[in-house]
Amino acid sequence: MRIHRAPLRYASAGGTPRSSQPRWRRRVLACTAVLTLAGALSFPARAATPPSGEISDASPAASWSAGPFAVPNTTGAAGSPVCDAPQACDDYTLDVKVPSGYDADHNVRIDITWPNSAADFDLYVLDAKTGDEISAAASSSDPETVILPAVSRTYTVRVVPYAPLGESFTGKASLVSIPADPPPSTATPPTYGNSSAPDSIDDAHNAGEPSIGVDRKTGAAMFQAYTSTLKVTYDAAGNGTWQDKSAKTANGCPQGSSTSLDPILFTDPRTNRTFESQLAGKTALTCFTDDDGESWTPTAGSGINSGVDHQTIGGGPFSPNGPGALTSYPNAVYYCSQDIADASCAASRDGGLTYGPAVPMYSLLDCGGLHGHVKVAPDGTAYVPNKGCGGNQAVAVSGDNGQSWDLRRNPGSTPGDSDPSVGIGAGGTVYMGYQNSDGTARIAVSHDRGRTWVDDQRIGGSLGIRNTVFPVVTAGDDNRAAFAFLGTTTGGNYQDTENFHGQWHLYVATTYDGGVSWVTVDATPDDPVQKGSICTGGTTCGDDRNLLDFNDITLDDHGRVLVAYADGCTGSCASGGAQNYDALATISRQSTGATLYGAYDAADGRAVKEGARK
């Protein structure tokens, strides 16, 4: 189950998800408190002042305000907001007048802000002539931000008082320069081979939101798709063999592979223990295996008072600044999840058998977006990234084994649609990959545990990539990392099921110089992952939510990159036919090129080829 508000950049199409899993996201408010406050307030709503404005290359900024607002308009939680009540929405007409080609190095940025961060306003941008929704920012962030190409056009900027608490808002539209991308890396691009699950495997075609880990002792990749745990082994030529190793009563896990609101898998690269977890409300049905799925051990599942949604499991060394191991298992295990008003993490000190109480990482007053997967650094620092904290994306950081958490924002980012991801190098360097509010893929680097960020840059600009979803990041040596995402060279609203016709591919960017420069490759050049729109808006979506909400990435013992994804365009679609909305379990595995471990660089151009395993 994915609970969240309306999508951050778009209007989602009506309908229900193609997957049979009951997945949906919508932020749930304490409605009684909001309505009680609304009834106690009697401020009259006011129209935008002024009601219209213009920005141009000669006059690049315009502002307006409106309010105060007393009555909530929560209709946007189910899709596009309804504005048929008096002053339920506020509209401002924005004219953009710029020379042809101005969008090559400029964007239109629209922000709305309000004084009390406990309140919540949502931002929608419509075509003024047709009323079609072009973009939206409908999280709990303050400010809400939309970024658009700088082209001449007239917009209706609609602000919806989702939970106004008697507040007014201020809007600003401005033309902003697009920062120049640094030169791409001159490193030899790696290449990738793709392997998919055979039809004989349960959930082979129900693999939305896959997760992946690698047992570095045996080389087996462990892949989770809904209630199925799959083991993939590779021969010397890089061909994958898929086997079903799902957790069941027969192999020691009676709670596994039966029901799920969300699946997640994690393999600890140090201990090679794999955890398979199925969400079950405020708890989880979790087992682990130490022999690649031949046998499974049941666990308590999660911490007391864990959240109802968006669970993630991760682990790594204990920090010396907090309580350590209770058993011989050397690493901490974290179960993090999202609840109605906050998100929390519970830590296990006995190898994942039991967990302490869930400790809040942040509340809705701090972050309205959903969090990504928990990652643990070699020094024991734990990180959980979030896509919408105020006007930025951020990481929640714990340096004491989950006893307390600190929220650290990336000031160069704006809230996005997809969960961000972090990868952590051997020396503690943090790489955060994210989808910016303009849809582009960006990555930033921190050398001080997320307190400051450097080398924040767009990825894939040289390939013409204009829209992205599902960023995932991993790292090996401290100066080496990989950043994978689904991308398309087609611009515009990729949520528009009727009018968006782009083709999506899996891209992987790699840095060998600590994030200063990146080399980006198309890992699926001859086989689109999806054609047309991709919706991540929960049950308000139509068939185009077949891929659900995220992908995953990991490394093997030689530092080869493996990306788990659901292939949404198979069969005749892959050979030129129409989109078929599949979700085929697939792994893209690095086959040549320098890996993320320099110890395996070859002398003849640093190429690691198949057959190099010990």
Side-chain angles (χ1 to χ4, degrees), residues 47-52 64 83 87 89-93 124 126 156-159 169:
T49 305
S52 63
W64 73 100
C83 299
Q87 297 295 332
C89 305
D90 184 88
D91 288 352
Y92 173 81
T93 301
Y124 298 83
L126 316 177
T156 297
V157 181
R158 175 164 293 169
V159 177
F169 73 86

Coordinates of all heavy atoms in Angstrom, one line a residue, residues 47-52 64 83 87 89-93 124 126 156-159 169:
A47 N -9.6 37.1 -3.9 CA -9.0 36.8 -5.2 C -7.5 37.2 -5.3 O -7.1 38.0 -4.5 CB -9.8 37.4 -6.3
A48 N -6.8 36.7 -6.3 CA -5.4 37.0 -6.5 C -5.3 38.5 -6.7 O -6.0 39.2 -7.4 CB -4.8 36.3 -7.7
T49 N -4.2 39.1 -6.1 CA -3.9 40.5 -6.2 C -2.5 40.6 -6.7 O -1.6 40.3 -5.9 CB -4.1 41.2 -4.9 OG1 -5.4 41.0 -4.5 CG2 -3.9 42.7 -5.1
P50 N -2.2 41.1 -7.9 CA -3.2 41.4 -9.0 C -3.7 40.1 -9.6 O -3.1 39.0 -9.3 CB -2.3 42.2 -10.0 CG -1.0 41.7 -9.8 CD -0.8 41.4 -8.3
P51 N -4.7 40.1 -10.4 CA -5.3 38.9 -11.0 C -4.5 38.3 -12.2 O -4.7 37.2 -12.6 CB -6.7 39.3 -11.5 CG -6.5 40.8 -11.7 CD -5.5 41.3 -10.7
S52 N -3.5 39.1 -12.7 CA -2.7 38.6 -13.8 C -1.4 39.3 -13.9 O -1.2 40.3 -13.2 CB -3.5 38.9 -15.2 OG -3.7 40.3 -15.4
W64 N 2.3 37.8 -6.9 CA 0.9 38.1 -6.6 C 0.6 37.4 -5.2 O 1.5 36.7 -4.7 CB -0.1 37.5 -7.6 CG -0.2 36.0 -7.7 CD1 -1.2 35.3 -7.2 CD2 0.7 35.1 -8.3 NE1 -1.0 33.9 -7.4 CE2 0.2 33.8 -8.1 CE3 1.9 35.3 -9.0 CZ2 0.8 32.7 -8.6 CZ3 2.6 34.2 -9.5 CH2 2.0 32.9 -9.3
C83 N -13.1 22.8 -8.4 CA -13.2 24.2 -8.0 C -14.6 24.8 -8.3 O -14.7 25.8 -8.9 CB -12.1 25.0 -8.8 SG -10.4 24.5 -8.6
Q87 N -14.6 30.4 -4.2 CA -13.2 30.6 -3.8 C -12.5 29.3 -3.3 O -11.6 29.4 -2.5 CB -13.1 31.7 -2.7 CG -13.6 33.1 -3.1 CD -12.7 33.7 -4.2 OE1 -11.5 33.4 -4.3 NE2 -13.3 34.5 -5.1
C89 N -10.7 27.6 -5.2 CA -9.4 27.7 -5.8 C -9.1 29.2 -6.1 O -10.0 30.0 -6.2 CB -9.4 26.9 -7.1 SG -9.8 25.1 -7.0
D90 N -7.9 29.5 -6.3 CA -7.5 30.8 -6.7 C -6.7 30.8 -8.0 O -5.7 30.1 -8.1 CB -6.7 31.5 -5.6 CG -6.4 33.0 -6.0 OD1 -7.2 33.8 -5.6 OD2 -5.3 33.2 -6.6
D91 N -7.2 31.6 -9.0 CA -6.5 31.5 -10.4 C -5.8 32.9 -10.6 O -6.4 33.9 -10.4 CB -7.6 31.3 -11.4 CG -8.1 29.9 -11.4 OD1 -7.5 29.0 -10.7 OD2 -9.0 29.6 -12.2
Y92 N -4.6 32.7 -11.2 CA -3.8 33.9 -11.6 C -3.4 33.6 -13.1 O -2.9 32.5 -13.4 CB -2.6 34.0 -10.7 CG -1.6 35.0 -11.1 CD1 -1.7 36.4 -10.8 CD2 -0.4 34.6 -11.8 CE1 -0.8 37.3 -11.2 CE2 0.6 35.6 -12.1 CZ 0.4 36.9 -11.8 OH 1.3 37.8 -12.2
T93 N -3.6 34.6 -13.9 CA -3.2 34.5 -15.3 C -1.8 35.0 -15.6 O -1.5 36.1 -15.2 CB -4.2 35.3 -16.2 OG1 -5.5 34.8 -16.0 CG2 -3.8 35.1 -17.7
Y124 N -1.1 24.2 -9.3 CA -1.4 23.6 -10.5 C -1.2 24.6 -11.6 O -1.6 25.8 -11.5 CB -2.9 23.0 -10.6 CG -3.1 22.0 -9.6 CD1 -3.4 22.3 -8.2 CD2 -3.1 20.6 -9.9 CE1 -3.7 21.3 -7.3 CE2 -3.3 19.6 -9.0 CZ -3.6 20.0 -7.7 OH -3.9 19.0 -6.8
L126 N -2.2 25.4 -15.6 CA -3.1 24.9 -16.7 C -2.8 25.8 -18.0 O -2.3 26.9 -17.9 CB -4.6 25.1 -16.3 CG -5.0 24.7 -14.9 CD1 -6.5 25.0 -14.7 CD2 -4.7 23.2 -14.7
T156 N -2.8 29.5 -16.7 CA -3.6 29.8 -15.5 C -2.9 29.1 -14.4 O -2.7 27.9 -14.4 CB -5.0 29.2 -15.6 OG1 -5.7 29.9 -16.7 CG2 -5.8 29.4 -14.3
V157 N -2.4 29.9 -13.4 CA -1.8 29.3 -12.3 C -2.8 29.2 -11.2 O -3.3 30.2 -10.7 CB -0.6 30.2 -11.8 CG1 0.1 29.6 -10.6 CG2 0.4 30.5 -12.9
R158 N -3.1 28.0 -10.8 CA -4.2 27.7 -9.9 C -3.6 27.2 -8.6 O -2.8 26.3 -8.5 CB -5.2 26.6 -10.4 CG -6.2 26.2 -9.5 CD -7.3 25.4 -10.2 NE -8.0 26.3 -11.1 CZ -8.9 25.9 -12.1 NH1 -9.1 24.6 -12.3 NH2 -9.5 26.8 -12.9
V159 N -4.0 27.9 -7.5 CA -3.6 27.5 -6.1 C -4.8 27.0 -5.4 O -5.9 27.6 -5.3 CB -3.0 28.7 -5.4 CG1 -2.6 28.3 -4.0 CG2 -1.8 29.2 -6.1
F169 N -1.3 33.1 0.8 CA -0.1 32.7 0.1 C 0.5 33.8 -0.7 O -0.3 34.8 -1.1 CB -0.3 31.4 -0.7 CG -1.1 31.7 -1.9 CD1 -0.5 32.1 -3.1 CD2 -2.5 31.5 -1.9 CE1 -1.3 32.3 -4.3 CE2 -3.3 31.8 -3.1 CZ -2.6 32.2 -4.3

